[in-house]
Amino acid sequence: MILKRHLVFTLYTIYGILLKGMASKSKARGLSGQYPLVQNVTVTEGGTANMTCRVEYNDNTSLQWSNPAQQTLFFGDKKALRDNRIELVHASWSELTISISDISLNDEGMYTCSLFTMPVRTAKAYLTVLGVPEKPEIDGLTKPALEGDHITLTCITQGSKPAADLRWFRNEKEVKGAKEVNASGKTFTVRSSLELHVDRSDDGVAFTCKVDHVALSQMPQQATEVLEVHYAPRVEIIHSQAFPQEGQYLKLECLSKGNPSPDPVTWTKDGGELPDLERMIVEGRELTFTSLNKTDNGTYRCEARNHLGTSSAEYVLYVYDVPTTLPPSTTTLPHTTPPDTTTLLDPQASDPTGTRDTDPNALGQHGTDHALIGGVVAVVVFVTLCLIIVLGRYLARHKGTYLTNEAKGADDAPDADTAIINAEGNHAHAEEKKEYFI
């Protein structure tokens, strides 16, 4: 009997230990699962934030959301704060999700989810609100600007959080500006300046200021201004014929670039009015010769002006004679030969004066040729005169009678041998007879 009682006691002890172990495991699992889980949330100003709180294990304990001011928003599925922007999304024993619409910067802060166990367990989630920068504005643009001016373009955007970044573009090419950031409460005011030395190449150029910000990934903000620059005109004359000939058609076009546009332009010849308006037709910027002749030779001037200045260009017209062509050869060639285009490509080949200049309409071209030829002739004449003078002086210094040795001894000699002997004898006294020429 004693043995039987001891066995029963032992069995109860083992059973108690097993029950205690199972209860401990169950309690441990409940404690580990009864902690709320939350996540930080980032939302753009004006958007909607969803705040979610979850638990893995809940023994019918309520969940609650509170704002940064510790005001209860929702207790379970019961709304506690009268704010039409706050709505219940989902409520259960394991999850409580609420939404806050039309988010403002004042909604930013630490939100708390509480699980009402003993003791109460909490988790905190930070709501970050991004301030959307306003559309930028460009100041400092002078319309119109004058060539040579120094101007400063300033781009400003407000309300960004964090501070926005500003970038400048000249047409499509990015250029560097000077950035300045100022805090204004919870937001920032950003300013960027661009220094310009205005040139005529800036006329019609679009300067764009773009805002870069994390809140503008889907709708970038930018502002654009087109710069207008006024500048004095510049003139250039374009001609339709490189080597104009008699009877040909010729058009001179006066290209004038200026702002405001220098219209109309003025054409003159040799400092005066155009002499023959029947053949010289002026239409806008063009001067047209319907049929050229030698009387058209001269200097043509085009002048353009606006309120900033005057500019002009000149064109010297020289009309060539019509070239003569040789009759075609009747000789049959064994192979096809391409036509000789020398005359067509080089109109100077037909010039009767033989001039080989590349541009006969240059200022003073023929006068230069005549002066060069005259200079060469003068040099040749001068050298010839010098040679004649030197040769004459040389001949004058060496004028006289010169005798050979045989001739010197032939006066009293009966024969040639005696003459040579007499000449050798007289040679000894040659030093006594000298003749000087002064």
Side-chain angles (χ1 to χ4, degrees):
M1 180 64 74
I2 295 174
L3 181 60
K4 185 176 180 181
R5 288 180 180 177
H6 180 72
L7 181 60
V8 170
F9 178 77
T10 302
L11 290 175
Y12 273 106
T13 303
I14 295 172
Y15 180 70
I17 293 173
L18 291 175
L19 289 177
K20 186 176 181 181
M22 292 177 64
S24 298
K25 289 183 179 179
S26 177
K27 184 177 181 180
R29 186 182 66 176
L31 292 176
S32 63
Q34 285 187 300
Y35 280 94
L37 302 175
V38 295
Q39 288 183 339
N40 295 331
V41 177
T42 299
V43 64
T44 301
E45 184 180 14
T48 300
N50 288 331
M51 312 290 295
T52 300
C53 180
R54 292 188 178 92
V55 291
E56 294 181 359
Y57 172 77
N58 191 353
D59 53 355
N60 297 332
T61 303
S62 298
L63 293 170
Q64 171 186 292
W65 271 112
S66 302
N67 63 13
Q70 296 303 313
Q71 295 172 319
T72 301
L73 304 179
F74 269 89
F75 184 81
D77 59 354
K78 301 295 188 293
K79 187 174 183 179
L81 184 66
R82 292 182 178 180
D83 189 338
N84 295 331
R85 301 180 303 127
I86 303 174
E87 299 290 341
L88 178 65
V89 176
H90 179 73
S92 66
W93 295 112
S94 61
E95 177 183 332
L96 178 59
T97 301
I98 63 173
S99 67
I100 307 174
S101 60
D102 195 17
I103 287 288
S104 67
L105 295 176
N106 294 327
D107 295 321
E108 185 176 74
M110 192 72 73
Y111 287 74
T112 304
C113 176
S114 302
L115 177 64
F116 285 90
T117 58
M118 293 299 292
V120 176
R121 296 180 175 86
T122 62
K124 296 183 181 296
Y126 195 88
L127 175 61
T128 301
V129 180
L130 301 177
V132 181
E134 297 177 0
K135 184 176 181 179
E137 296 180 357
I138 298 178
D139 296 329
L141 185 63
T142 303
K143 290 188 177 182
L146 299 180
E147 185 177 24
D149 284 352
H150 290 269
I151 63 175
T152 301
L153 300 182
T154 303
C155 181
I156 303 175
T157 181
Q158 299 177 345
S160 60
K161 178 182 172 295
D165 187 26
L166 296 179
R167 294 192 297 161
W168 284 101
F169 291 85
R170 185 184 187 275
N171 287 338
E172 299 298 327
K173 183 178 180 181
E174 185 171 0
V175 292
K176 187 68 175 179
K179 180 181 175 182
E180 178 184 349
V181 179
N182 295 311
S184 177
K186 293 184 178 181
T187 61
F188 296 89
T189 298
V190 184
R191 179 181 288 101
S192 181
S193 300
L194 183 64
E195 300 285 341
L196 295 178
H197 177 68
V198 180
D199 185 74
R200 63 180 59 206
S201 62
D202 294 322
D203 185 41
V205 171
F207 287 90
T208 301
C209 175
K210 292 184 178 181
V211 181
D212 284 342
H213 195 264
V214 64
L216 298 176
S217 58
Q218 302 298 327
M219 47 178 184
Q221 298 275 27
Q222 67 181 41
T224 301
E225 292 287 348
V226 178
L227 184 60
E228 180 183 359
V229 181
H230 282 189
Y231 52 92
R234 291 180 183 173
V235 175
E236 179 185 3
I237 296 178
I238 304 299
H239 48 87
S240 61
Q241 297 286 348
F243 302 97
Q245 300 173 0
E246 282 191 290
Q248 282 187 340
Y249 167 91
L250 175 65
K251 181 174 71 174
L252 302 180
E253 184 177 1
C254 182
L255 299 181
S256 58
K257 295 182 180 179
N259 192 15
S261 180
D263 288 324
V265 299
T266 304
W267 285 98
T268 58
K269 177 186 178 183
D270 296 331
E273 297 181 355
L274 299 178
D276 190 351
L277 296 180
E278 293 183 357
R279 291 186 307 105
M280 302 179 184
I281 303 173
V282 177
E283 293 181 348
R285 301 172 182 267
E286 297 179 355
L287 172 60
T288 303
F289 298 82
T290 57
S291 180
L292 290 172
N293 59 47
K294 291 291 185 178
T295 62
D296 296 328
N297 291 346
T299 301
Y300 293 83
R301 178 186 180 93
C302 172
E303 184 176 281
R305 67 176 61 200
N306 59 19
H307 70 280
L308 296 175
T310 303
S311 179
S312 63
E314 293 184 347
Y315 173 79
V316 179
L317 174 61
Y318 179 82
V319 180
Y320 283 90
D321 296 330
V322 178
T324 57
T325 57
L326 297 176
S329 175
T330 57
T331 304
T332 304
L333 299 178
H335 300 286
T336 303
T337 303
D340 185 5
T341 60
T342 303
T343 303
L344 296 177
L345 295 178
D346 186 7
Q348 295 177 359
S350 62
D351 189 352
T353 62
T355 304
R356 305 299 299 173
D357 300 318
T358 58
D359 187 1
N361 289 321
L363 282 171
Q365 186 71 47
H366 300 282
T368 302
D369 293 343
H370 296 163
L372 180 62
I373 295 173
V376 173
V377 173
V379 171
V380 172
V381 172
F382 177 76
V383 172
T384 303
L385 292 176
C386 291
L387 290 176
I388 292 173
I389 294 173
V390 172
L391 182 60
R393 289 181 62 84
Y394 177 80
L395 293 177
R397 289 177 63 88
H398 294 77
K399 181 177 67 175
T401 302
Y402 299 89
L403 301 176
T404 63
N405 290 334
E406 292 82 355
K408 293 178 181 179
D411 292 340
D412 299 327
D415 54 25
D417 294 336
T418 304
I420 294 174
I421 294 173
N422 291 339
E424 292 177 353
N426 292 333
H427 185 68
H429 303 284
E431 296 295 330
E432 299 176 359
K433 297 181 180 179
K434 295 182 179 180
E435 182 177 3
Y436 297 89
F437 295 92
I438 298 176

